[in-house]
Amino acid sequence: DKWDMPMAYSGSNFHSVTGAEFAKCVTTGTGGDIEIVTHPSGSLFPGAQIKRAIQTGQVQIGERLLSGHQNEDPLFGVDSIPFLVSSFDEHAKLFEIAKPHLEELLATQNLTMVYSVPWPPQGLYFNKEVNSVADMEGVKFRSYNNATSRLAELTGMLPVTVEAAEISQAFATGVAESMVSSGATGYDRKVWESLSHFYEVDAWLPRNYIMVNSDVWNGTSEANQNVIKACGEIAEYAGTWRAKEYTGFTMAGLSAGGMEVGRAGDQLMGDLKAIGETMTAEWLEAAGATGQAIVDAYNAAE
Amino acid sequence: MTFLRLMRRGLDGLYLLSGILASLCLIAILSLIVIQMLARWTGEVFPGAPDYAGYAMAAASFLAFANALNRGSHIRVSILLNAVPDSVRRWLEIWCFGMGTAIMWYFVWYGQRFVYWSWKFNDVSQGQDKTPLWIPQGVMLFGAVVFAIALTDHLVHVIFKGDHRIQRDLADQSMGE
Amino acid sequence: MENLSIIILFLFVLFTLLGTGVWVGLALMGVAWVGMELFTTRPVGDVMLTTIWSASSSWTLTALPLFIWMGEILFRTRLSEDMFKGLSPWMARLPGGLVHTNIVGCTVFAAVSGSSAATLTTVGKMSIPELRKRNYPEKMIIGTLAGAATLGLMIPPSLTLIVYGVTINESITKLFFAGIVPGLVLATMFMGYVAIYSKLSKDWHPDAEPSMTLSEKLANSRFLIPVMLLITVVIGSMYLGYATATEAAAFGVIGSLLLAATQGSLTWPTFSESLMGATRTSAMIALILAGAAFLSLSMGFTGLPRGLADLIAGWELTRFELLMVLLVFYVILGCFLDGISSVVLTMAVVEPMVREAGIDLIWFGIFIVVVVEMAQITPPIGFNLFVLQGMTNHEMSYIARAAIPMFLIMVLMVFVLILVPDIATWLPENMRSGPG
Ligand code: NA
Ligand code: NA
C-alpha cells in the first residue's frame, strides 16, 4: 500500500527531514507493506487543507500545525497559550497532559495521532531595546491570528496584519516594528537588516502533528500499526532533539547577523506572565471543562 | 414554443445576473483592499480582510465563468476547429461542449458533497474572520452550476441547431495575455 | 519505465483535449482526472474540489483582476493619443524617427498595464495610423509594435509574473522589481535595432517632422504627466513598501478612474464595460489556474514531477544546458499555447528541476517571461498576431514575418540574462534598503 503524506514546510525544514525519516522507517519496518511517500513544501496540499484532506480520506496520512484550527475548537490551541509554559521541558509536561484529550477530539474527526514535534519557542522581535511592557506602547506589531491580535491589544501595541510572505518587506519599510515568532523565522527572513533585539521569552511552542485517517488506521494490521507507532516514537524523539538544536543554531545566527539576543529581563518577563494569565483565562473560557482540566492538572504538576 | 422562449429568456437572464454578481465581487475586492489600507494607516485593524478578499476572488471567478463562455473569453486552441469543413466542425464542437459539460457537472456533483461536508463538519476559516466555510464555498458551487448549465445549453444548441451561441470576441480573450 | 507510460498517457490525453479545442482550463481538469483515476486509489472528485477551492480563494490572486481592470479603464481613455503627442517630439530626431514612439510608448504603457495585448491595442490604435501617415515602412511599424508590446508582460505590473508567483509561492513584489531592468534593457535593444535598420535600409524615407523648439517639446510633454503620475503611484508605492502588489493594483484602479474622470471619458457605459471586461478576463485566467492546480496535484500523486526532476538531474546537464533545453521546449510550446497556460501547465514539473539545479526562482521568473513574450509573436497561436490581424487586416504570416527580428532580439535577451543575471536579481535584492 502506498500512503501519500502531505507536509506544509520546505524539504530542508527539520520537520520535513524528520517526516522523511519516519516514512523510510515505516516503509522498511513493514517490509514495504506500507510505503509512505512524503510530499513536502505543500506540493500536494497547502498547510490549511491538510487536516481536511486526511479527514476525508483524500490522503492517508499528513502533517499539520493543529493550532491553525483553533477557530474550530479551542482545544487545538492548547500548545499556543501565551506564556503558560516557558521551556521545552514545561512544554513537554503540558503536552503529556493534553495528549489524551487531543486524541479524543481527533478521534471524533476521524483522525488518529501518530506523533508530534514542537517548533522552537516563540520569542519577541523589536527594533529597539525593551525592558517592560510599558516600553511596547504604540509599537507596530505583526499580528496574524486572533491570539496575536489580542497580545498586541493587551501590551498596548498596534496590531498590523502582515502575511508571512511579506515579513521582510514590512520590517524594512517600517510597516511593522515587532513580531512574535521563533528564532527560525527571523533567521530565514534575515530580519537583522531592520530589527535589533530578539528576546527569548518562550511565549509558546506550537506543535506539528502527524495524523492518519482513522478508517485507514483501523484497516491496518496490528503488526503494521505497531511498526508505525514505534517509528513515530523515534521520530518524535529525534524531531524534538532537532527542534532544540535548531533553536540554538538560529539564536547564534541572529547574533551573527548583528542582533541583540538574550533572555528577557525580570521586569519584562513578569509583565508578560501577567498578560499570559489573562490570555490563559480567556482561553479557558472558550475551551470549557476539558481546557480547565488540562490547565489544572498542569498547574498541579508544576 | 412560448415555453422554450421563456426558458431561453430565463437562462440568458441567469447568465447575466451571475456575471453582474461577479463584477460586484470585483468591486468588493477593491473596497476590501482599500479599507484594509486605510485601517493600517490609521492604526486600526480590519480582522480577516485578506480572507474576505479571497472569498470574493473565488466568487468573482466562478460567477463569471458562464458569462465569459458566452462572450468567447475562455481560451481554447482553435487551429483544428478552423481548419476542418463545417460538417466536421459541428461534430468537433459537440465533442468539446460534451467534454466541458461532463467535466463541469462532475465538478458540481462533488461540489455539493464538498459544501455539504463543510457544513456538516462545521468547517470554519482558519483566519481571523472565522467564517463558516460552506457560505463562500456555496457561492462557488452556485457559479459552477450556472457554468455547467451554460455549457449544456450550448451543447444542446450545437446538436439541434448546428452551432453554439458563443459570440467570439478575440479582443476580449486576448486582454489576459 | 512506469514514469514513461504515465508521461505518454498524460501527453496523449492533453494533446487530444487541447488540440480538439476543449477550453484550456477544462482540458487540464480532464487530464488531471484521467491521471488520478488510472494511477492512484484516491477519491478524485473530493481531491479536485479541495484543490480548486484552495487555489481559487487565494488572497494573493486578487492582484490579477485589479490590474486587468486598470488596463481596461485606461484602454477606454484618451491616454494613447496623449502619449503619442507627448512622446513624438522627443523621438523625431533619433535615427529611426517616430518608430521609437512604438517602443517607448509600449514601455511606458507597460508600466501601468499587466498584459501584452492590452499594451498593443492601446499604443497601436494611435501609433499605427500616425506612422502610416508619415510613410514609415509598414513592416517596421507592425514588427516593432508586436515585439515591444510584449514588454507589457515584463515591466511591472505583469499578469504572467502574478500567475508565476502564485504558482511557485514567491513574492510578487520581488518578481515585479526583477522585471524592471531587463524590461528596459530589452526596450533599448529594440530601439538599437530600429536605429541600425533606419541607417542601413534602402526603403527608409519617412516624411520629415516639422522641427520644434525645446519649449514646444516641453509643452507637449504635459500630456505625459497623468500616466507618469500613475506609474509613480503604482510602482513607487510598492518600491517604498507602502503597498503590496495587490494594494498597488487597487491604487492603480482608483488612479485610472480618476484619470478617466478628469479626461471626461468616465461615463457609465465605459465604466461598466471596463468592469465586465475585467471580470470576464480574470475569470478566463482563473479557470486555467483552477485546472492547472488540479493537474499539478494529480501529477504530484503520481510522483511524476519528482521522477522527471531526478531523471534530468541524472543527465548532469550544466545549468546552461538545462536552460537551453527549457528555452527550446518553451519556444515550441509557445507556438501552440498562450503564455499563462504554458507557465501553469509546466511549473509542477519544471519547478523541482530548476530548484534542483540551484537556479534562483526570481531570476527564472524573468527567464520565463522572456520566453512567454516570444510566444506572443510566434504562429500559429500568438495573441499579438491575432490582435494585430484584427487591427490592420494584414495576413497573419505577414505580421509574423515582420516580427521575426523582434523574436531574435528576445532570443539574444535570454543570453544577456544568462550572462548577466544581476540585471534581474539586483533590484529585488536591494529594494528593502529603500527609504521608509
Ligand atoms: Na506591465
Ligand atoms: Na505563439
Side-chain angles (χ1 to χ4, degrees):
Chain A
D1 232 10
K2 183 178 150 235
W3 286 12
D4 289 293
M5 176 165 162
M7 309 181 82
Y9 306 93
S10 74
S12 56
N13 183 286
F14 73 90
H15 285 288
S16 307
V17 174
T18 308
E21 281 172 7
F22 164 76
K24 204 190 270 171
C25 171
V26 171
T27 309
T28 330
T30 59
D33 234 11
I34 296 174
E35 183 205 351
I36 297 187
V37 180
T38 57
H39 301 267
S41 307
S43 60
L44 211 50
F45 290 101
Q49 306 294 335
I50 290 177
K51 183 165 85 74
R52 179 168 174 152
I54 312 169
Q55 251 175 302
T56 52
Q58 297 174 31
V59 289
Q60 298 87 342
I61 185 170
E63 177 190 56
R64 174 64 180 151
L65 177 87
L66 270 189
S67 54
H69 295 275
Q70 286 183 68
N71 288 346
E72 213 176 302
D73 194 312
L75 194 54
F76 284 135
V78 66
D79 55 23
S80 303
I81 309 168
F83 307 107
L84 178 62
V85 301
S86 53
S87 69
F88 270 106
D89 293 339
E90 285 181 25
H91 170 80
K93 211 178 289 170
L94 175 69
F95 178 64
E96 272 318 304
I97 294 165
K99 194 174 169 186
H101 299 283
L102 269 175
E103 282 177 329
E104 204 176 304
L105 170 60
L106 288 173
T108 66
Q109 301 199 345
N110 203 27
L111 295 167
T112 304
M113 191 200 301
V114 180
Y115 74 87
S116 144
V117 172
W119 283 91
Q122 308 283 301
L124 284 167
Y125 289 84
F126 286 101
N127 64 350
K128 61 173 188 182
E129 192 180 326
V130 168
N131 294 312
S132 66
V133 163
D135 290 349
M136 299 182 191
E137 185 75 45
V139 170
K140 290 182 222 152
F141 178 76
R142 177 203 172 216
S143 76
Y144 56 91
N145 62 16
N146 292 309
T148 46
S149 296
R150 184 74 181 128
L151 185 61
E153 207 177 319
L154 289 169
T155 50
M157 293 193 280
L158 299 173
V160 285
T161 308
V162 176
E163 298 289 317
E166 316 276 354
I167 287 179
S168 313
Q169 213 201 349
F171 286 123
T173 55
V175 166
E177 299 161 332
S178 169
M179 69 170 173
V180 59
S181 198
S182 70
T185 314
Y187 178 76
D188 291 343
R189 308 268 169 190
K190 302 186 175 62
V191 294
W192 51 79
E193 286 173 8
S194 24
L195 297 179
S196 54
H197 288 74
F198 179 77
Y199 293 101
E200 295 175 55
V201 295
D202 295 356
W204 65 87
L205 294 85
R207 297 178 79 94
N208 280 357
Y209 296 79
I210 282 68
M211 299 166 286
V212 180
N213 176 290
S214 293
D215 300 331
V216 173
W217 180 253
N218 296 332
T220 306
S221 75
E222 207 182 314
N224 285 344
Q225 283 186 356
N226 287 334
V227 171
I228 297 173
K229 279 186 203 157
C231 290
E233 265 169 47
I234 298 171
E236 185 160 315
Y237 181 80
T240 309
W241 184 81
R242 281 197 181 99
K244 290 177 186 168
E245 283 291 293
Y246 195 54
T247 308
F249 172 75
T250 55
M251 292 301 114
L254 291 177
S255 286
M259 286 185 84
E260 291 278 337
V261 177
R263 309 295 306 182
D266 290 343
Q267 168 79 43
L268 177 58
M269 214 52 223
D271 290 353
L272 290 173
K273 280 276 178 200
I275 285 167
E277 274 160 32
T278 312
M279 292 190 71
T280 307
E282 286 169 358
W283 181 79
L284 283 173
E285 233 168 80
T290 319
Q292 191 68 54
I294 295 173
V295 171
D296 285 350
Y298 173 72
N299 285 334
E302 267 296 86
Chain B
M1 228 42 242
T2 41
F3 170 73
L4 281 181
R5 213 173 301 139
L6 264 179
M7 193 165 87
R8 177 77 273 136
R9 224 193 270 161
L11 286 175
D12 287 342
L14 180 67
Y15 307 144
L16 183 67
L17 174 77
S18 160
I20 291 172
L21 287 176
S23 67
L24 291 179
C25 288
L26 226 171
I27 295 180
I29 293 175
L30 178 66
S31 318
L32 280 164
I33 289 163
V34 170
I35 294 171
Q36 195 196 10
M37 270 191 292
L38 290 178
R40 193 174 68 212
W41 294 335
T42 53
E44 298 287 317
V45 248
F46 176 16
D51 302 276
Y52 293 123
Y55 307 145
M57 180 70 213
S61 308
F62 275 81
L63 290 172
F65 281 164
N67 187 265
L69 177 74
N70 294 337
R71 294 290 295 267
S73 300
H74 288 303
I75 288 190
R76 63 199 297 202
V77 178
S78 41
I79 308 174
L80 189 62
L81 278 166
N82 292 336
V84 294
D86 277 352
S87 54
V88 183
R89 187 191 160 105
R90 181 173 169 190
W91 285 105
L92 213 50
E93 289 285 18
I94 291 178
W95 152 260
C96 288
F97 280 102
M99 286 309 296
T101 305
I103 291 169
M104 272 330 281
W105 283 115
Y106 179 86
F107 184 94
V108 167
W109 171 251
Y110 283 93
Q112 59 83 19
R113 273 167 52 119
F114 181 70
V115 177
Y116 172 74
W117 274 348
S118 288
W119 176 76
K120 183 95 185 290
F121 289 164
N122 188 24
D123 203 351
V124 269
S125 154
Q126 295 161 34
Q128 284 172 268
D129 56 306
K130 293 190 184 175
T131 310
L133 286 177
W134 66 267
I135 300 172
Q137 290 169 350
V139 179
M140 169 179 84
L141 177 61
F142 175 75
V145 170
V146 178
F147 188 33
I149 292 176
L151 283 161
T152 317
D153 188 356
H154 287 292
L155 175 64
V156 171
H157 224 266
V158 184
I159 293 176
F160 292 104
K161 295 271 175 69
D163 203 2
H164 54 69
R165 305 170 50 250
I166 292 176
Q167 284 146 14
R168 192 110 185 283
D169 185 347
L170 209 61
D172 213 47
Q173 188 178 88
S174 64
M175 275 308 194
E177 275 298 294
Chain C
M1 264 311 90
E2 197 200 357
N3 266 346
L4 190 68
S5 59
I6 299 179
I7 295 172
I8 291 172
L9 181 94
F10 266 124
L11 288 181
F12 175 75
V13 180
L14 182 69
F15 282 130
T16 309
L17 289 177
L18 283 181
T20 51
V22 177
W23 295 268
V24 175
L26 296 172
L28 300 188
M29 289 184 204
V31 182
W33 183 86
V34 172
M36 274 200 76
E37 279 293 345
L38 290 186
F39 296 106
T40 72
T41 53
R42 302 293 88 216
V44 185
D46 299 330
V47 168
M48 176 183 192
L49 260 294
T50 310
T51 304
I52 290 184
W53 163 252
S54 140
S56 309
S57 57
S58 147
W59 167 79
T60 26
L61 210 55
T62 52
L64 196 71
L66 294 183
F67 276 126
I68 296 174
W69 191 9
M70 177 180 169
E72 289 268 355
I73 298 167
L74 292 178
F75 175 66
R76 292 176 168 78
T77 61
R78 264 200 346 257
L79 192 65
S80 61
E81 293 140 66
D82 287 356
M83 278 200 334
F84 191 84
K85 274 187 228 152
L87 289 174
S88 53
W90 301 99
M91 306 297 147
R93 291 283 163 272
L94 297 177
L98 291 191
V99 173
H100 291 297
T101 55
N102 260 348
I103 298 163
V104 179
C106 285
T107 311
V108 173
F109 193 74
V112 286
S113 162
S115 122
S116 165
T119 307
L120 177 56
T121 39
T122 314
V123 174
K125 79 177 167 186
M126 197 62 203
S127 74
I128 294 175
E130 293 289 337
L131 291 177
R132 277 181 177 166
K133 235 191 293 178
R134 292 165 171 81
N135 286 319
Y136 282 93
E138 181 78 5
K139 266 212 156 127
M140 279 307 271
I141 305 177
I142 305 292
T144 52
L145 192 58
T150 64
L151 289 169
L153 302 179
M154 186 181 285
I155 294 175
S158 158
L159 302 187
T160 310
L161 284 176
I162 296 176
V163 168
Y164 175 79
V166 168
T167 312
I168 66 157
N169 205 4
E170 272 288 350
S171 157
I172 290 165
T173 319
K174 273 194 182 175
L175 284 164
F176 275 5
F177 282 99
I180 293 181
V181 180
L184 295 177
V185 170
L186 187 53
T188 313
M189 283 160 63
F190 288 148
M191 290 176 77
Y193 167 74
V194 172
I196 294 169
Y197 182 93
S198 73
K199 290 291 172 205
L200 299 182
S201 168
K202 289 188 186 70
D203 44 294
W204 185 276
H205 23 67
D207 308 347
E209 290 293 306
S211 63
M212 268 184 172
T213 63
L214 184 67
S215 59
E216 279 172 320
K217 284 183 188 172
L218 283 174
N220 259 12
S221 300
R222 72 177 185 279
F223 292 113
L224 292 174
I225 292 172
V227 69
M228 287 303 170
L229 272 177
L230 204 54
I231 295 175
T232 313
V233 169
V234 173
I235 298 187
S237 65
M238 279 188 283
Y239 190 80
L240 297 179
Y242 292 124
T244 61
T246 311
E247 291 167 347
F251 280 135
V253 171
I254 294 169
S256 14
L257 284 173
L258 285 176
L259 191 146
T262 51
Q263 286 189 349
S265 45
L266 185 64
T267 59
W268 174 249
T270 58
F271 175 80
S272 62
E273 274 165 33
S274 72
L275 180 58
M276 290 305 288
T279 311
R280 280 195 295 271
T281 304
S282 89
M284 175 272 280
I285 298 178
L287 184 64
I288 297 175
L289 283 173
F294 182 33
L295 178 59
S296 99
L297 183 91
S298 165
M299 290 204 280
F301 269 112
T302 62
L304 183 64
R306 216 183 303 175
L308 272 183
D310 290 348
L311 178 73
I312 292 189
W315 295 348
E316 294 183 0
L317 297 178
T318 62
R319 246 182 243 190
F320 181 77
E321 285 163 345
L322 175 66
L323 288 171
M324 285 305 106
V325 171
L326 288 174
L327 174 65
V328 173
F329 170 70
Y330 276 110
V331 166
I332 296 172
L333 198 63
C335 289
F336 304 98
L337 265 184
D338 64 284
I340 286 173
S341 303
S342 49
V343 170
V344 295
L345 183 61
T346 53
M347 263 314 131
V349 174
V350 170
E351 188 193 341
M353 265 181 225
V354 171
R355 281 192 198 274
E356 194 99 336
I359 294 170
D360 181 64
L361 277 151
I362 300 280
W363 179 89
F364 190 71
I366 303 307
F367 173 86
I368 283 278
V369 166
V370 185
V371 184
V372 163
E373 283 191 42
M374 296 178 195
Q376 294 285 331
I377 54 172
T378 52
I381 307 283
F383 271 97
N384 285 10
L385 304 179
F386 293 158
V387 175
L388 270 171
Q389 196 179 17
M391 288 174 83
T392 64
N393 290 324
H394 281 299
E395 285 291 322
M396 192 141 106
S397 56
Y398 175 88
I399 305 169
R401 254 180 288 133
I404 289 175
M406 302 296 138
F407 177 85
L408 295 177
I409 291 174
M410 290 182 213
V411 175
L412 184 62
M413 181 67 205
V414 170
F415 291 96
V416 172
L417 261 181
I418 294 174
L419 283 176
V420 198
D422 284 350
I423 60 174
T425 52
W426 186 82
L427 202 54
E429 274 165 17
N430 287 282
M431 68 176 180
R432 36 176 121 141
S433 55

